[in-house]
Amino acid sequence: MPEITLYSMTVCQPCKATKRKIAKEGMEPYLREINVDEDPAARQFLIDSGYTESPVVMTSFGDEWTGFRPDLVEAFRDRVKAEAGA
């Protein structure tokens, strides 16, 4: 099953906007949200990977990005639908 992982922070407007966009596009069933304020191991993973801003988004298709990118959320939606044959 496709997955979109959102590494977010508690006080982060781009994180909240990304989560809203994922929900608006009907992709919430594929969402796995990890709050790095509550998960030190996830926070360290992002630091070790070189990320310096939030949110960080990774998909099961190998896409990764930072910040609020509605175009890439839409691309994820399109790919999920294409794979489902919709």
Side-chain angles (χ1 to χ4, degrees):
M1 181 164 109
E3 184 174 87
I4 186 165
T5 303
L6 172 64
Y7 291 92
S8 64
M9 298 175 69
T10 304
V11 180
C12 171
Q13 289 307 314
C15 300
K16 292 175 183 176
T18 299
K19 187 173 179 178
R20 281 193 307 269
K21 181 63 174 173
I22 290 168
K24 180 179 178 186
E25 298 302 330
M27 297 293 105
E28 231 171 2
Y30 307 104
L31 175 63
R32 179 172 72 124
E33 184 176 10
I34 300 170
N35 185 322
V36 297
D37 291 331
E38 300 169 0
D39 187 335
R43 181 183 200 83
Q44 192 60 49
F45 165 73
L46 295 179
I47 291 168
D48 292 347
S49 298
Y51 290 105
T52 59
E53 68 177 279
S54 294
V56 174
V57 180
M58 298 179 180
T59 75
S60 56
F61 300 121
D63 303 312
E64 299 180 7
W65 68 87
T66 61
F68 178 54
R69 294 292 309 271
D71 58 321
L72 296 177
V73 173
E74 291 166 4
F76 175 79
R77 175 209 58 207
D78 293 345
R79 191 152 179 199
V80 168
K81 288 185 175 184
E83 288 203 354

